[in-house]
Amino acid sequence: MQSSAASQKQAAAAIKPQTQPVSMFNQSKAVLAVVFASIIAFMGLGLVDPILPAIAEKLHASHSDVTLLFTSYNAVMAVAMLITGVISSRLGVKWTLLTGIIIIAVFSALSGMSNGIWSLVWLRGGWGLGNALFVATALSAIVSLSRTGVARSIILFEVAVGLGISVGPLLGGELGAISWRGPFFGVAGLMVLAFLMISILMPKPAPAVRKKRASLADPFRALRFKALRTFGIAAALYNFGFFTLLVYAALVLGKLGLDEHQLGYVFLGWGLMLAFTSVFMAPKLQKRFGTLPSMMVQLLLFAVTLFVMANWTTDKTVLIVAVIVAGAFLGNNNTLITTAVMNAAPVERPTASAAYSFLRFIGGALAPYLAGKLAEWFNPHMPFIVGGAFVVLAVIYLYFNRNHLKHVDAVEGGH
């Protein structure tokens, strides 16, 4: 018996090193190239944020006009998400990524040459098309080609998102202090660098991840699955709060006296909190409390933050602290919900990502313009109140559909 017990211990000792988790950074050059390019791509979103007040001033536009820069961007992204699978299944992962990068570079450069708010709004829509092709393909490429499984791959993608969003405002603030056109040309230059990274470090086409060519109907078929549809609708609702924070808060802080440099530092803090919690906190919350309970708590905390901003809209210090703190709640939630979506339905992951992104970016398209109009129609506090209310609605919707989401943790546990 003792000999048998000793043998079992030796066997367990031999197995243990093999079952230890592999670092999420232990990736191939192809995956690291996509991650690096993703950081640069998401810099594009943050680069523009610190210059929103300057654009309103220089182009003689209202705050609601300026918010259309995000509305057109997100609206085109929402629709384009439906065709990303069709395009990537024909062009392949590498060329879809490169096509998206080229479109972003061209439209961001043209935006820098624009002389009117409406031409800028339309050009941002074209930028959104490129971003849709890149983002949807990047996420599915990282998940498909990763050595570390779905959960760690998504965390790696969220790291890229957080770093891009956090460093972007800092660079945008510096370039924007020279000219409001600077960040747009900065994005174009960074996209050239991203193009070179993908071209060099992904010299061969990535292995096919689809057994057949995608159809335009695939994302709609995927939305027939209750769990995937629930997460998509919930994301559309909480995106009202997300883009109220990202867009309207920047305009309010600009009105309270923050210049491009200062806005860049504020949103740098926000992005760093988002990146940190995405990596170090979200996985622990998911493991200890489960995906859905953790998600609902993080969303409620984010809603409370928006209500605090609504009450102290004219207090610069409170708004700055609230923006940075909100990054923690959003970082946790982004990782939790993105991981859940990948396991929500028995469909290919690129299809699940496209269907989910279509719904969530609809909320992202409506939210910025609504926030600007609410401030004009009522008062500066109302956008934060409505944004917080939509986030609470997302939690209520998740709670009443919780029975359809129980399998998410079970599937994740299997990985």
Side-chain angles (χ1 to χ4, degrees):
M1 293 294 291
Q2 291 180 349
S3 176
S4 177
S7 299
Q8 290 176 357
K9 288 181 180 180
Q10 290 175 356
I15 293 172
K16 188 175 181 181
Q18 298 175 6
T19 58
Q20 288 179 343
V22 180
S23 169
M24 66 179 176
F25 297 106
N26 181 22
Q27 304 288 356
S28 65
K29 288 182 179 180
V31 172
L32 294 177
V34 176
V35 170
F36 184 81
S38 298
I39 294 173
I40 297 175
F42 279 99
M43 278 186 186
L45 182 64
L47 273 168
V48 179
D49 217 37
I51 60 170
L52 290 177
I55 291 174
E57 179 185 352
K58 299 295 183 182
L59 297 184
H60 309 289
S62 67
H63 281 187
S64 60
D65 290 339
V66 172
T67 61
L68 286 171
L69 295 177
F70 283 84
T71 291
S72 61
Y73 177 84
N74 286 323
V76 173
M77 276 193 73
V79 176
M81 283 294 175
L82 298 174
I83 64 171
T84 54
V86 174
I87 294 174
S88 64
S89 67
R90 286 158 175 79
L91 294 182
V93 172
K94 179 180 177 180
W95 280 107
T96 304
L97 290 172
L98 293 176
T99 301
I101 288 171
I102 291 169
I103 293 172
I104 294 171
V106 169
F107 279 93
S108 59
L110 291 174
S111 296
M113 296 182 235
S114 177
N115 292 312
I117 187 62
W118 294 108
S119 62
L120 195 55
V121 167
W122 284 106
L123 290 169
R124 276 283 285 178
W127 187 340
L129 171 61
N131 219 52
L133 290 174
F134 180 87
V135 171
T137 310
L139 176 57
S140 62
I142 291 172
V143 171
S144 301
L145 303 176
S146 173
R147 300 169 176 168
T148 59
V150 176
R152 289 186 182 86
S153 302
I154 290 170
I155 292 171
L156 187 61
F157 179 75
E158 292 296 339
V159 169
V161 173
L163 289 175
I165 290 177
S166 60
V167 176
L170 184 63
L171 185 59
E174 298 301 316
L175 294 174
I178 300 171
S179 168
W180 68 266
R181 301 177 188 274
F184 292 105
F185 292 125
V187 170
L190 287 171
M191 286 297 104
V192 172
L193 179 58
F195 183 92
L196 293 174
M197 290 290 296
I198 295 292
S199 299
I200 294 171
L201 296 181
M202 291 184 68
K204 296 179 181 180
V209 296
R210 290 177 178 270
K211 295 180 180 179
K212 61 179 182 179
R213 289 189 173 186
S215 162
L216 287 173
D218 286 348
F220 295 103
R221 292 193 188 103
L223 289 175
R224 292 184 299 183
F225 293 98
K226 184 72 173 180
L228 184 60
R229 188 168 70 249
T230 298
F231 284 127
I233 293 173
L237 292 171
Y238 88 72
N239 257 357
F240 276 85
F242 181 95
F243 281 97
T244 296
L245 181 91
L246 186 64
V247 181
Y248 181 69
L251 292 169
V252 172
L253 287 169
K255 198 171 182 179
L256 292 175
L258 269 67
D259 60 20
E260 291 86 353
H261 292 288
Q262 293 166 328
L263 281 172
Y265 285 119
V266 170
F267 283 94
L268 169 66
W270 173 78
L272 288 175
M273 287 292 284
L274 187 147
F276 177 83
T277 54
S278 294
V279 180
F280 297 106
M281 288 186 65
K284 293 180 180 179
L285 291 172
Q286 192 275 337
K287 186 176 181 180
R288 182 168 182 178
F289 302 106
T291 299
L292 193 60
S294 300
M295 194 185 304
M296 291 192 293
V297 170
Q298 295 305 306
L299 289 176
L300 285 174
L301 290 171
F302 177 44
V304 169
T305 306
L306 289 172
F307 292 140
V308 168
M309 296 173 76
N311 196 54
W312 284 280
T313 305
T314 57
D315 191 315
K316 183 165 55 179
T317 302
V318 171
L319 289 185
I320 290 172
V321 172
V323 167
I324 295 172
V325 169
F329 307 136
L330 290 168
N332 283 326
N333 183 71
N334 285 353
T335 296
L336 290 166
I337 195 168
T338 305
T339 305
V341 165
M342 292 295 101
N343 297 315
V347 297
E348 292 182 334
R349 286 179 179 129
T351 302
S353 177
Y356 162 74
S357 296
F358 167 68
L359 290 177
R360 70 172 172 140
F361 282 117
I362 289 175
L366 297 174
Y369 186 67
L370 177 63
K373 280 300 181 183
L374 287 171
E376 293 176 5
W377 293 336
F378 300 99
N379 55 62
H381 312 275
M382 190 58 67
F384 293 120
I385 295 173
V386 174
F390 270 103
V391 177
V392 172
L393 280 177
V395 176
I396 294 172
Y397 184 74
L398 286 170
Y399 178 79
F400 280 106
N401 287 279
R402 64 191 184 281
N403 290 333
H404 301 286
L405 310 175
K406 291 179 179 178
H407 68 284
V408 172
D409 281 317
V411 173
E412 185 58 32
H415 289 276

